[in-house]
Structures are given as structure tokens and as C-alpha cells.
Amino acid sequence: MKGLSLLHPADPQQLDKETLRIYEICDGCRRCFNLCPSFTTLLDGIDRHDGHVAKLTPADHHRIVDECYYCKLCFNHCPYTPPHQYEIDFPHLMIVWKKRLAQERGVRWRDRLLIKTDLIGRFSSLAAPLANRLLANGLMRRFMEMVVGVHRDRQVLRFSGETFSRWFGRRAPAVCASGPVKKVALFSSCLVNYQATDIGKATVQVLEKNGVEVVVPEQRCCGMPNFDVGDTQAIQQAARANVASLHPWVSQGYDVVVPTASCSLMLKREYPELCRDEQTKRVAERTFDVCEYLMKMKKDGQLATDFTKKPGRVAYQIPCHLRDQNIGFKSKELMECAGAQVEVIEKCSGHDGAWSAKTEFFSLSMKIAAKAVRAIEQQPADLVATDCPLAGLQLDQAGASAHAGGKAALHPIQIVRDAYGLRCDE
């Protein structure tokens, strides 16, 4: 974007001018037509005004921004991203607009609450049986919809009574007689820590199976949820805290491995843009998605291939935030190493954390997910897989699990763990 920064409030006139410039280019290109709700609204609005971008109303602009859930698919789809002379970065334009609208309209307390993932996770895990019962109770969900604005039908991942970090802290570390092949500082994510704990366990088990020493440094939410309200200062704070914790391990020769796509994207891509210092850059350079890391080990001849169970046919939905990393289909390749037959589903799940939980966007999110489910329906599959636990939840709710014998979607690392014949470590 020309002259706009994520770090500082934009001059309203400059933002309006840059927005119209980008919208004009999008209108002429239309490659992102029907890619996401924001582009449908944008292009339909332009057509409604007979091609006059300048006639888009404030209500049009606000809807375009509100419907953006930062999947970032348009960035990879766009032929005009930097270093092109047009310098189109539509996702960042939306974040600048979210910052502006937060100042002009304010931020609802519901929106501020839903992005406090560490706080919600900490308290819900402390009372996990009660929290899970309440979230499954129809009366409570109707009350939450009325008071909080969280849709009554939005399924949520169950909270674990034992967090991943607590599980890791109580277990005996694996000992390799010849010394570790590699050393990893695991950034587990708040989602894995409080809810999808088995993904963290499977990650540790598979890494240790391959002779990798694993540590879990102190960490907090990566900050991705704050994009929903344009709070880039909060993301900077999260970046500084996590980099301060991870950098000492990187300096000792550890790589940073992340099992969730949104968090690895934050450490790799977003942190260096928001915090332009050498420590952040160094951590970003040494950060890997877990399947990317294991395929890197395979390339170096270090991946154990003594798999004992074949996973069968897998319909694999690749998350948008993994596609944005431009690393290829490493999860697919890893599952194929384990003997799986994998069909890739390149359709967005439409979940995006808090966005799809809100009453005003839930139905739209399920409409987006239906496209992925239709693609899964066309593939004979024994399992459904995705690297994002929330995408898996969304696909299950939209009906994907019905096409895999009723089995819930798994993370590829869980499928690989099972293929090794490793026992699910409770």
C-alpha cells in the first residue's frame, strides 16, 4: 500500500484516496470475484453503482471491512502485490480500515472479550467440566446469543482440564542415547494449550520419535485475534513478549516449531512487519510449521520411516494461513510418507476464530464452509484432515465428518502419530 502504515493511524483523506485506488484496480481485475464475502460485497457494490467506485457509500465500505476475516487468500491470489508498481495489499488495507473504524465506532465489549484467548482459556480450563457443560447447554447458548452476541449454534472446541503446558511439564523428557538429532522450541498456541491439547501431544511424540529434543518456552497468544479489531499495538506487545522468550532458545541452536498455521504465519510473516528488529527477524527465520519441519528432516535423511499403520484415504483441507506461507503442501507430503492417499481441498473453512462465532457472521461462515464440504463429498475418504483445529471444527459442523464415517477432522500430525503406531499419550 502506498503511504499507509499498520503501526500508525492513517490520515482519513489519504486512506480514502488509497482505498479508491485499490478498489479501482480490483474492479478492473476481478480475479478475486467470489473469493470471500468482502470481494463479493465490493464488486457487487461497484456494479450497483454502474462501475463508479467513488459512489460506494460509507455503509458499503464498512460492510466490506467487517466481512474481512483476514484469511489472506486474496494476497496470494492477487497479481499486483509488492514488488509490483501497484503495491496492492488488500488484507493490510482492511486492517488499516479496522483501526479507523475502531476509533470512529468504538469496539463492542463482546469483540474485546472474544479476542482474549489466553484469559478465556485459562479460566475455562480451570473449570473445564462446568465450562463444557454450559457451552453445550441450549438455554445457556441462547442466553449467550442474546447477551454476548455469540451465535447459539456455533460449536466450540471442548476445554481440557489439563492444559498442554501442564501435561508437558509433568512428563519425563525423552532421552536419546546418542544425543538429539535436532532441538526444537515448541510454540504450541493458546488453542492447543487449552483446547486441542492432543495436537500438541502428537507433535511432541512425533518429534521425539525422530530424535528431536523438545522444550516449551513461556509464551502467550500470538496476537492474531487482535487483527479483528485492528489493534496492531496489542500484536506488537504479543510479538515482543514471545520473541523475548523464544530468541534465547534460537541463540542456543533451537528451531521454533508451530503446529497451528495462524500462529506460524504470525511468527514468520506478521511479527517482522510490525517489529523490525534483529531478534524478531532471527526468530522468524528459524520458525517452521511442524509438517514443514519434518519434511525438512526427510530431505536431510533424518525422518524415521518405520510406519506401522497406513492411514488410508485422506481428504486434506489446507488452511488459508498455511497457503499464505508459500511452503507448498508439506502436510500432504508427510501424510503420503506415512502411506496415506491424500486429496487436497483448497477451499476456505470460513471459521477465523471469533468472526464466525458472532451472530451477524455465523450463517455466512457456514455458507463459506459448505464449499469445502462439497469438495470433500467428491472424494472417497477414510479421514478428513486440516492443520487448523478451528477449521476442523467448522468442517465437522458443516458435515464433512459424515463423509469420513463420522470421524472428526484430525490434524496431519495426529495422523502421522497414529501411523507410527504411537499411543495417544494421556
Side-chain angles (χ1 to χ4, degrees):
M1 295 183 302
K2 296 183 178 180
L4 296 180
S5 169
L6 289 182
L7 302 180
H8 308 291
D11 174 78
Q13 290 185 336
Q14 184 184 17
L15 177 56
D16 289 342
K17 180 180 179 181
E18 177 65 358
T19 300
L20 291 180
R21 182 187 77 86
I22 290 177
Y23 285 1
E24 288 277 9
I25 295 170
C26 290
D27 179 37
C29 175
R30 299 205 165 213
R31 187 173 180 179
C32 291
F33 172 73
N34 214 24
L35 187 67
C36 79
S38 290
F39 281 99
T40 300
T41 298
L42 168 61
L43 298 175
D44 285 351
I46 294 173
D47 291 342
R48 191 172 62 252
H49 294 293
D50 298 320
H52 296 289
V53 174
K55 289 185 178 181
L56 289 170
T57 66
D60 291 328
H61 286 294
H62 294 184
R63 183 178 171 189
I64 292 164
V65 175
D66 289 338
E67 288 180 343
C68 174
Y69 48 92
Y70 207 63
C71 69
K72 300 200 75 176
L73 281 183
C74 59
F75 189 83
N76 278 346
H77 215 59
C78 179
Y80 304 126
T81 53
H84 192 279
Q85 61 178 335
Y86 288 166
E87 294 186 29
I88 303 296
D89 190 332
F90 198 90
H92 279 187
L93 176 69
M94 294 295 99
I95 297 305
V96 176
W97 263 100
K98 287 178 187 290
K99 289 170 69 74
R100 173 174 169 174
L101 294 183
Q103 293 176 331
E104 294 179 354
R105 302 184 307 193
V107 179
R108 293 177 59 181
W109 71 270
R110 177 218 41 194
D111 298 338
R112 292 191 185 279
L113 173 64
L114 291 178
I115 62 176
K116 295 185 181 297
T117 54
D118 279 325
L119 179 67
I120 294 171
R122 190 176 304 116
F123 282 103
S124 297
S125 289
L126 286 173
L130 176 61
N132 292 330
R133 281 200 300 271
L134 289 175
L135 289 170
N137 182 276
L139 286 174
M140 176 56 67
R141 292 306 300 271
R142 284 194 288 273
F143 176 78
M144 288 177 62
E145 180 176 274
M146 181 175 60
V147 176
V148 184
V150 173
H151 200 283
R152 69 181 70 181
D153 295 327
R154 172 72 275 163
Q155 292 182 7
V156 296
L157 291 171
R158 291 176 60 83
F159 288 94
S160 174
E162 181 181 52
T163 63
F164 167 73
S165 58
R166 200 175 304 139
W167 168 84
F168 187 84
R170 71 169 171 79
R171 69 191 292 272
V175 178
C176 183
S178 58
V181 174
K182 288 183 177 291
K183 299 184 292 184
V184 157
L186 184 65
F187 189 90
S188 60
S189 82
C190 51
L191 191 63
V192 165
N193 190 39
Y194 297 114
Q195 293 168 287
T197 53
D198 188 61
I199 292 173
K201 295 173 184 179
T203 298
V204 172
Q205 290 176 278
V206 172
L207 288 172
E208 290 184 345
K209 160 73 177 176
N210 283 278
V212 179
E213 176 191 331
V214 181
V215 299
V216 180
E218 185 178 348
Q219 54 198 256
R220 53 177 288 188
C221 173
C222 68
M224 174 67 81
N226 290 283
F227 276 129
D228 285 353
V229 295
D231 192 350
T232 51
Q233 287 187 332
I235 300 172
Q236 281 184 302
Q237 292 172 1
R240 293 189 184 107
N242 287 324
V243 167
S245 180
L246 294 169
H247 186 263
W249 293 100
V250 170
S251 298
Q252 296 175 51
Y254 285 72
D255 296 310
V256 179
V257 167
V258 190
T260 49
S262 295
C263 300
S264 56
L265 176 67
M266 289 296 288
L267 269 66
K268 286 181 180 184
R269 293 278 196 86
E270 308 293 348
Y271 280 11
E273 290 194 31
L274 294 170
C275 300
R276 300 186 178 183
D277 57 84
E278 283 302 313
Q279 289 192 357
T280 303
K281 179 182 177 183
R282 184 61 175 150
V283 168
E285 290 171 344
R286 295 284 292 277
T287 296
F288 302 87
D289 167 77
V290 62
C291 294
E292 174 191 16
Y293 194 72
L294 289 163
M295 287 308 296
K296 183 173 179 291
M297 291 185 67
K298 180 181 184 296
K299 183 178 179 181
D300 296 337
Q302 297 172 324
L303 182 74
T305 57
D306 54 335
F307 298 101
T308 62
K309 300 178 181 178
K310 289 191 175 182
R313 299 166 299 182
V314 179
Y316 166 60
Q317 186 265 346
I318 180 168
C320 304
H321 286 167
L322 197 57
R323 291 165 69 178
D324 189 50
Q325 295 179 34
N326 290 326
I327 59 174
F329 301 112
K330 301 305 179 186
S331 299
K332 171 184 182 288
E333 294 169 11
L334 182 63
M335 289 187 286
E336 287 175 338
C337 287
Q341 298 171 281
V342 184
E343 291 292 336
V344 178
I345 308 298
E346 295 188 72
K347 299 289 184 182
C348 180
S349 74
H351 192 292
D352 182 63
W355 185 81
S356 71
K358 299 173 184 178
T359 51
E360 61 267 38
F361 299 124
F362 172 75
S363 296
L364 186 55
S365 80
M366 298 307 295
K367 184 178 179 180
I368 296 167
K371 297 178 183 179
V373 172
R374 285 196 295 270
I376 291 170
E377 287 175 349
Q378 297 170 10
Q379 306 297 334
D382 302 303
L383 298 170
V384 175
T386 177
D387 307 83
C388 175
L390 292 178
L393 177 72
Q394 179 86 329
L395 293 173
D396 289 341
Q397 182 165 1
S401 60
H403 305 285
K407 299 174 184 175
L410 295 172
H411 191 291
I413 201 67
Q414 292 172 300
I415 293 175
V416 172
R417 185 261 313 273
D418 296 344
Y420 275 129
L422 300 172
R423 184 178 62 86
C424 180
D425 192 342
E426 298 294 341

